[in-house]
């Protein structure tokens, strides 16, 4: 299995917005994105890399968004 890319929150946000997700709200340092019934929460901590589980969720959501 290939390693997941290391993403910063800003890079994940670009991918989500390009896939058709929209920012619905911000709560503290977390941003919530929505597309249809799919909701993703991305923690925005400057200078930090996202956890691999969150990267996996982002890539899966982007992939599903491109297929439809």
């Amino acid at each position: 299995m290939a390693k997941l890319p290391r993403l910063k929150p800003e890079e994940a946000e670009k991918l989500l917005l390009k896939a058709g997700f929209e920012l619905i709200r911000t709560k503290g340092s977390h941003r919530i994105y929505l597309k249809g019934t799919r909701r993703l929460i991305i923690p925005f901590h400057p200078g930090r890399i996202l956890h691999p589980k969150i990267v996996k969720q982002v890539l899966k959501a982007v992939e599903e968004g491109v297929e439809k």
Side-chain angles (χ1 to χ4, degrees):
M1 178 184 254
K3 281 189 165 185
L4 291 173
R6 295 170 56 105
L7 290 179
K8 291 184 179 181
E10 297 83 8
E11 297 167 335
E13 181 179 44
K14 282 183 184 178
L15 289 173
L16 290 173
L17 294 175
K18 194 176 269 191
F21 280 81
E22 63 179 89
L23 177 64
I24 55 171
R25 65 188 169 105
T26 302
K27 185 172 184 179
S29 61
H30 293 77
R31 296 184 183 175
I32 296 103
Y33 299 90
L34 183 70
K35 180 179 179 184
T37 59
R38 177 80 175 195
R39 184 183 70 164
L40 279 171
I41 302 169
I42 305 294
F44 257 76
H45 301 287
R48 298 209 40 203
I49 303 294
L50 293 175
H51 190 277
K53 286 183 180 181
I54 296 174
V55 172
K56 190 174 183 178
Q57 291 175 351
V58 168
L59 294 177
K60 184 178 177 185
V62 168
E63 184 180 290
E64 288 174 356
V66 172
E67 290 176 359
K68 291 183 179 181

